[in-house]
Every structure is written in structure tokens, then in C-alpha cells.
Amino acid sequence: MRPAFHLAIPVDDLARARAFYGGVLGLEEGRSADAWVDWDFRGHQVVTHVVPGARAEAGRNPVDGHDVPVPHFGLVLDVDAFHELAGRLKDAGTEFVIEPYQRFAGEPGEQWTMFLHDPAGNALEFKAFRDEAQLFAK
């Protein structure tokens, strides 16, 4: 079993964070207070903390012909879960920074990927490998 990570991110509105992380992404809510909410990010702990006016994106970096938002975080899913989530996000009217597509096709590290922002502007990437051994392939 892999160790779980913990990540705290700024949001400007907990109701919108709950609608996105709980409603759109379907994450289970853990502990909370007036200024923060814990989320079960598939066994990892992501905490949304209210920080009024905070915007997380510092810049963009070119990867495979797309401008990837930095910083970003996300999950490596299996291919079926990736496509199920992509459909769920599309059905929710999500505006993608980078639409779901297959990156590095035919190369080491071939993967499905998509990028989006949460309502507070935090960038997320979800990706999937047919063979998770490709995660660190050179």
C-alpha cells in the first residue's frame, strides 16, 4: 500500500468547493469547520481552506503541445475511471483547461490526461495509463 499524501489548497468559497469536490468530483467529505473541509481524494487527504481572493496558478509550461497550468495536482486513475470522470465533468459543464486526450501516444509514458480548474482557480490534472508501470517510463 502506498502512503497517503496530504495537500491543503486555498478556496474562496466553501459552498462552491463543496459543490465541486463533493458534487462534481463525488468525493466524500471528512471533517470540517467554518473555514476548511477535508476531502477523501481516493485515499488521500485534500483540505480546502478559505483564503479570500487567493488564486493558485503561477504560470504555464508547454508539455506535448499544450500549456499546462502550474502548480497543479490530481490523481492517476485507471483508464475506465478516467473516462467515467471525464464524462461526469463534461456532464457538469466543466470548462477544461486541456480537454481529455491521449498524450505521448506511442511513446514511453503514453497516458490519457485532462486539466481543469476548481471554482477557486486551483488547477487539477487527472491522468490514466493502460500500464501504470509507464508512470515513470523514460
Side-chain angles (χ1 to χ4, degrees):
M1 181 171 170
R2 295 180 183 164
F5 73 81
H6 165 86
L7 176 67
I9 58 171
V11 299
D12 54 5
D13 184 319
L14 276 185
R16 287 179 34 190
R18 279 188 165 106
F20 178 75
Y21 287 94
V24 176
L25 294 183
L27 304 181
E28 186 175 329
E29 185 174 325
R31 293 180 306 274
S32 66
D34 291 342
W36 55 270
V37 177
D38 282 346
W39 299 100
D40 180 350
F41 203 61
R42 298 211 181 188
H44 304 284
Q45 185 186 47
V46 170
V47 185
T48 49
H49 285 272
V50 175
V51 180
R55 297 299 281 187
E57 189 171 311
R60 303 269 176 132
N61 192 19
V63 178
D64 193 41
H66 292 88
D67 288 330
V68 170
V70 178
H72 65 264
F73 71 98
L75 288 171
V76 177
L77 305 169
D78 66 45
V79 174
D80 290 340
F82 174 89
H83 290 294
E84 184 275 325
L85 178 59
R88 184 180 184 137
L89 289 165
K90 287 177 185 179
D91 289 348
T94 300
E95 183 177 324
F96 291 93
V97 176
I98 299 173
E99 293 276 340
Y101 84 104
Q102 193 171 32
R103 181 191 309 183
F104 307 133
E107 299 177 28
E110 179 180 290
Q111 62 194 260
W112 286 93
T113 187
M114 61 181 151
F115 286 83
L116 55 129
H117 287 117
D118 74 4
N122 296 295
L124 290 93
E125 177 186 17
F126 295 94
K127 59 173 67 178
F129 297 81
R130 290 198 197 289
D131 174 7
E132 197 173 316
Q134 290 290 301
L135 186 62
F136 298 106
K138 294 181 180 182

